[in-house]
């Protein structure tokens, strides 16, 4: 059987025919890579923009948020593992075409909706759907927001950035060892943040996990680097709660989040404590 390489993310999965890649959302069908989660939504809701979190992009507004299933990371602390780690047959979905998403978004404008947020799971494993929706949304004057781990190859990412208005990118840690454990790569994510910051509004979130990425030194290095990209990029330092494969770990202490936020403020203009 013929194999085909998927070029969306740096995993470069070499997928056998009728098999699925590492992310659980991309398959080799008749020698062509297709997103099996195209239009299959596990969640759709009107959320405050601050929930993404985006604090410096149209504050006080609402945004229609959509998500599917699948992810190209394996975070043992995943807060949305029920959908991100799920296979197609393990989740309940509804098919919503790009045109239907746009129609829903426009109907919700009287309620303060400014556009569409691609979120909940890792949206970039369903790249084609996000791209198709974003292109249509731009034509209709709607905003496009992406909430992502930033683990994507440059060419598809640049193509999508043309239609995005704002991003929140997860910077899981500032050490390559932890990223390796998550099946990702720090340098790729840093590059995605750099690309986004050139033309788009970008905010960064770091989930602070006790014992993994919560040292003074790591948060200082992270914030110094982020400030070297742009000092005005908002950083959200968010509390970890026991989830998925890390239910035995204690939640991050509120006091620790505030201590680390003060360290980050040595370099950055805007630092926010999340889930406190």
């Amino acid at each position: 059987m013929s194999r085909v390489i998927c070029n969306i993310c740096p995993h470069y999965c070499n997928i056998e025919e009728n098999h699925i890649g590492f992310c659980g959302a991309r398959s080799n069908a008749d020698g062509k890579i297709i997103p099996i989660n195209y239009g299959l939504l596990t969640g759709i809701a009107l959320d405050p923009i601050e929930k993404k979190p985006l604090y410096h992009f149209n504050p006080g507004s609402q945004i229609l948020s959509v998500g599917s299933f699948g992810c190209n990371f394996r975070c043992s602390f995943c807060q949305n593992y029920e959908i991100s780690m799920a296979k197609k047959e393990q989740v309940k979905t509804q098919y919503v075409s790009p045109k239907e998403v746009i129609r829903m978004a426009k109907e919700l404008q009287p309620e303060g909706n400014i556009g569409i947020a691609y979120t909940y799971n890792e949206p970039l494993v369903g790249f084609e759907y996000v791209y198709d929706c974003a292109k249509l949304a731009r034509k209709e004057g709607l905003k496009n927001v992406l909430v992502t781990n930033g683990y994507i190859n440059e060419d598809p990412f640049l193509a999508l950035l043309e239609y995005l208005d704002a991003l929140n990118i997860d910077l899981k840690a500032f050490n390559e060892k932890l990223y390796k454990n998550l099946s990702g790569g720090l340098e790729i994510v840093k590059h995605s943040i750099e690309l986004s910051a050139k033309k788009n509004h970008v905010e960064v979130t770091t989930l602070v996990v006790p014992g993994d990425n919560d040292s003074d030194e790591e948060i200082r290095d992270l914030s110094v680097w982020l400030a070297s990209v742009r000092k005005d990029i908002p950083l959200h330092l968010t509390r970890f709660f026991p989830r998925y494969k890390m239910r035995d770990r204690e939640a991050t202490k509120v006091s620790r989040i505030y201590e680390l936020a003060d360290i980050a403020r040595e370099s950055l203009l805007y630092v926010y404590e999340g889930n406190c």
Side-chain angles (χ1 to χ4, degrees):
M1 290 195 291
S2 62
R3 288 176 170 267
V4 182
I5 293 174
C6 177
N7 291 305
I8 288 295
C9 90
H11 285 307
Y12 289 109
C13 291
N14 192 356
I15 308 173
E16 286 184 40
E17 197 167 330
N18 300 319
H19 283 64
I20 296 167
F22 178 78
C23 67
R26 305 183 69 76
S27 175
N28 174 356
D30 299 320
K32 184 180 178 184
I33 299 295
I34 62 160
I36 64 170
N37 67 350
Y38 189 96
L40 298 180
L41 302 186
T42 56
I44 183 163
L46 189 63
D47 288 336
I49 194 76
E50 289 83 3
K51 195 177 174 182
K52 298 305 101 189
L54 290 171
Y55 284 10
H56 289 231
F57 182 75
N58 291 272
S61 63
Q62 303 284 311
I63 193 153
L64 182 64
S65 302
V66 299
S68 186
F69 61 87
C71 185
N72 54 357
F73 275 9
R74 291 295 180 269
C75 303
S76 55
F77 47 76
C78 183
Q79 307 289 290
N80 285 331
Y81 70 94
E82 296 95 339
I83 56 172
S84 63
M85 300 299 161
K87 293 182 170 60
K88 183 180 179 181
E89 61 273 13
Q90 294 174 324
V91 287
K92 188 183 271 189
T93 62
Q94 58 175 321
Y95 177 76
V96 184
S97 71
K99 284 184 179 178
E100 182 69 5
V101 171
I102 305 308
R103 183 190 66 77
M104 293 171 70
K106 292 190 77 174
E107 284 182 354
L108 288 166
Q109 284 179 315
E111 296 181 41
N113 181 45
I114 60 169
I116 303 160
Y118 312 95
T119 180
Y120 301 143
N121 70 313
E122 173 47 55
L124 293 177
V125 300
F127 175 86
E128 293 83 355
Y129 184 72
V130 174
Y131 184 85
D132 290 348
C133 288
K135 204 170 177 182
L136 280 176
R138 176 61 61 83
K139 282 183 184 175
E140 295 294 329
L142 295 164
K143 303 293 186 188
N144 287 302
V145 167
L146 180 71
V147 182
T148 177
N149 63 26
Y151 197 64
I152 183 172
N153 288 329
E154 183 175 302
D155 286 349
F157 195 45
L158 285 174
L160 182 59
L161 281 174
E162 290 296 317
Y163 298 100
L164 296 180
D165 297 285
L167 303 90
N168 187 291
I169 299 178
D170 280 340
L171 186 53
K172 306 283 185 181
F174 209 67
N175 71 81
E176 196 63 64
K177 183 181 177 184
L178 181 58
Y179 261 100
K180 220 171 183 181
N181 291 339
L182 308 181
S183 301
L186 174 60
E187 293 306 316
I188 297 293
V189 179
K190 286 167 64 178
H191 188 53
S192 292
I193 292 170
E194 290 168 338
L195 289 175
S196 302
K198 287 179 180 177
K199 293 182 180 179
N200 302 79
H201 178 83
V202 61
E203 302 190 21
V204 170
T205 297
T206 298
L207 183 72
V208 179
V209 183
D212 278 0
N213 64 351
D214 64 336
S215 70
D216 290 7
E217 181 183 32
E218 182 156 348
I219 297 302
R220 183 170 284 112
D221 289 346
L222 184 156
S223 54
V224 166
W225 173 79
L226 196 56
S228 76
V229 179
R230 268 191 21 209
K231 202 171 181 178
D232 63 346
I233 293 176
L235 173 64
H236 303 263
L237 294 176
T238 306
R239 267 183 97 201
F240 157 85
F241 290 100
R243 294 278 285 166
Y244 193 36
K245 295 180 179 179
M246 292 183 70
R247 295 179 187 273
D248 58 339
R249 193 79 60 97
E250 288 186 11
T252 319
K253 287 185 169 63
V254 172
S255 59
R256 187 62 182 143
I257 295 291
Y258 279 93
E259 288 168 359
L260 294 174
D262 283 341
I263 289 171
R265 288 189 185 100
E266 295 170 5
S267 304
L268 294 164
L269 294 175
Y270 308 110
V271 181
Y272 299 100
E273 301 90 352
N275 289 342
C276 292

